[in-house]
Amino acid sequence: MIRQVRSETKDRQSPQLLSSLVLEFYFGPEKAAIPEEKAPEVIDPVAIEAEADFRKALRINTARTWKQFVAKHRSSEQAVLARQFLQQMQPAGSTITPTAQEKESRFVTSPQKRKEIQIALAAKGITSGTADGAFGSQTRQAITAFQRSVGLPGTGFVNEETADRLGVSLNWREDGIYSSTNARRYDPEDFSGLETDPVVLKALACAPRSPKVFGSFSGHLYIVVQHIMAVHMIADELAKKCGGYLAVITSKAENEFVASLMNGDQSFFHMGFDVSESTGYKMGSWIGLVQDEGGREPRSGWRWQNGQPLAYGNWNSGKPNEHKKGDDFAMYFDERRGQKDMKSVRVLTWDDMGPGDATNSYVVELE
């Protein structure tokens, strides 16, 4: 229309345009939609953390980690699936109730922690004698008196509730395998935000590039580390580098537990056949049992490297036998006469070996 007026008047007239419209408009039968402002997206940090922890737990995929996930994110969307995973892999619980003394041995795992409890008792006005880290009769009486003063059963042994009332933190460790039963490498970063026990984190950092299996017995943590053709000296150095020592075995139950860690994966063993003896052999993990120089061969002079006296032994038949000079180091070992399938043999016994002998694993103990 503007063009037509200007053309007919030879540009002498030009229509004036007046408008107060400030919005877009459209000709046509339909009304144009007016854009609505979108509400800002709400970010839920709790849900984001739950999703991140769930992905970590999937990568780790152990009963312990799923327990930790459910405890931390019990109301999350992923908790239902986590409980299903846990139910599938959780071994049946023991029907045997541990005694008060057994519970304490799992809670209070070092002289430093016992000393801390004695100091806490003194701060509550209940003397337990010198804070020396030894629980004698005076300390037992003090624990009993404190328990009764706060309405707890007076057992004389420290449990989780007693420690909580004293203001002493304890790391509860259930007995059992914490890792996969098969040797695996673990990324310590995957445990961030889920694992709370510093000793378990220490176990994960032990030989990080080596496949391992680990678990707890009576408050101590044991790690079976795969190391192909490791001699005793190397195993001992690596155990110390992990912040522990080669395992000390003090009872049949402890020996059974350590053996259960090791026997779950055949890669921890070195197997062969001795033609001269017509015997198949299976060499397991190094442990911290050594023989002092000058010890009367073959059975005297054996001691644990951490200083504990030798109160238990489980030597293979006829062992130790000082088969060659310098056989002063113990490892798990078994043998069978004839052509036997040694893979099916469960190793529980020990043998004395020399500085040049090598096997495929070692057991580290952490307190």
Side-chain angles (χ1 to χ4, degrees):
M1 180 178 179
I2 295 172
R3 182 179 301 172
Q4 183 180 358
V5 170
R6 297 178 73 174
S7 175
E8 291 179 356
T9 62
K10 298 181 179 181
D11 289 329
R12 288 193 296 269
Q13 294 182 18
S14 180
Q16 186 177 3
L17 298 178
L18 297 175
S19 176
S20 60
L21 292 176
V22 294
L23 296 176
E24 293 181 5
F25 70 98
Y26 302 87
F27 292 105
E30 297 182 1
K31 292 184 179 180
I34 299 175
E36 296 181 1
E37 291 187 8
K38 291 184 178 179
E41 186 177 351
V42 177
I43 298 175
D44 183 355
V46 175
I48 291 174
E49 184 181 25
E51 177 63 24
D53 284 347
F54 186 76
R55 292 178 182 275
K56 293 176 184 177
L58 276 174
R59 289 192 291 270
I60 300 167
N61 197 31
T62 65
R64 178 178 176 84
T65 304
W66 287 122
K67 278 184 183 179
Q68 291 168 328
F69 179 87
V70 170
K72 183 177 179 181
H73 302 289
R74 60 179 69 254
S75 59
S76 68
E77 294 180 1
Q78 299 89 346
V80 174
L81 191 55
R83 291 187 181 96
Q84 292 175 357
F85 288 146
L86 180 58
Q87 189 175 13
Q88 291 173 2
M89 64 178 60
Q90 180 64 54
S94 172
T95 57
I96 300 174
T97 302
T99 65
Q101 185 174 3
E102 289 171 337
K103 285 182 179 179
E104 183 187 84
S105 70
R106 298 174 186 177
F107 278 120
V108 187
T109 59
S110 69
Q112 291 77 15
K113 187 60 69 175
R114 290 192 287 272
K115 185 176 179 179
E116 186 179 345
I117 289 168
Q118 290 171 324
I119 293 172
L121 286 167
K124 297 289 185 181
I126 303 176
T127 179
S128 61
T130 304
D132 56 3
F135 280 8
S137 59
Q138 196 169 0
T139 299
R140 293 297 176 197
Q141 291 171 6
I143 294 170
T144 302
F146 172 74
Q147 288 171 326
R148 289 173 176 168
S149 72
V150 295
L152 297 176
T155 64
F157 295 95
V158 177
N159 58 17
E160 194 171 21
E161 192 169 4
T162 302
D164 184 61
R165 297 291 187 92
L166 284 170
V168 176
S169 63
L170 298 177
N171 288 316
W172 165 247
R173 297 194 191 108
E174 294 178 294
D175 283 357
I177 298 177
Y178 285 7
S179 65
S180 166
T181 55
N182 295 321
R184 279 179 49 193
R185 295 180 180 89
Y186 293 92
D187 183 353
E189 289 297 319
D190 281 343
F191 292 79
S192 175
L194 290 171
E195 182 57 63
T196 58
D197 189 337
V199 180
V200 176
L201 295 173
K202 190 176 180 180
L204 291 163
C206 172
R209 297 181 181 179
S210 299
K212 61 176 70 72
V213 169
F214 57 93
S216 175
F217 180 84
S218 289
H220 286 205
L221 209 69
Y222 299 83
I223 319 160
V224 182
V225 183
Q226 184 187 104
H227 188 105
I228 305 302
M229 301 307 288
V231 297
H232 180 272
M233 182 179 70
I234 295 297
D236 185 41
E237 289 177 357
L238 292 173
K240 291 174 181 174
K241 190 174 180 180
C242 288
Y245 45 84
L246 289 178
V248 174
I249 313 295
T250 60
S251 69
K252 180 179 179 181
E254 186 176 13
N255 189 61
E256 288 276 356
F257 175 73
V258 173
S260 73
L261 291 176
M262 179 181 53
N263 280 280
D265 195 312
Q266 296 302 309
S267 66
F268 290 133
F269 296 91
H270 173 59
M271 290 171 275
F273 184 77
D274 186 340
V275 177
S276 63
E277 299 287 339
S278 188
T279 301
Y281 60 85
K282 190 172 185 178
M283 301 165 68
S285 303
W286 289 111
I287 56 176
L289 186 59
V290 298
Q291 187 177 35
D292 289 323
E293 288 186 17
R296 191 171 180 181
E297 303 292 357
R299 288 190 172 269
S300 71
W302 287 93
R303 62 175 177 83
W304 295 108
Q305 287 177 277
N306 75 335
Q308 286 185 242
L310 181 61
Y312 169 82
N314 196 41
W315 296 105
N316 190 260
S317 178
K319 309 294 191 301
N321 60 358
E322 191 70 9
H323 181 67
K324 57 184 180 300
K325 186 174 177 58
D327 282 359
D328 298 332
F329 311 101
M331 72 165 59
Y332 279 93
F333 176 89
D334 207 341
E335 60 185 351
R336 295 286 191 275
R337 296 287 296 177
Q339 294 281 359
K340 300 290 184 181
D341 178 14
M342 297 305 294
K343 288 182 179 180
S344 63
V345 174
R346 188 168 185 267
V347 179
L348 292 167
T349 54
W350 315 336
D351 191 10
D352 56 328
M353 295 288 177
D357 291 310
T359 186
N360 289 345
S361 60
Y362 57 94
V363 187
V364 181
E365 183 171 348
L366 301 176
E367 296 182 7

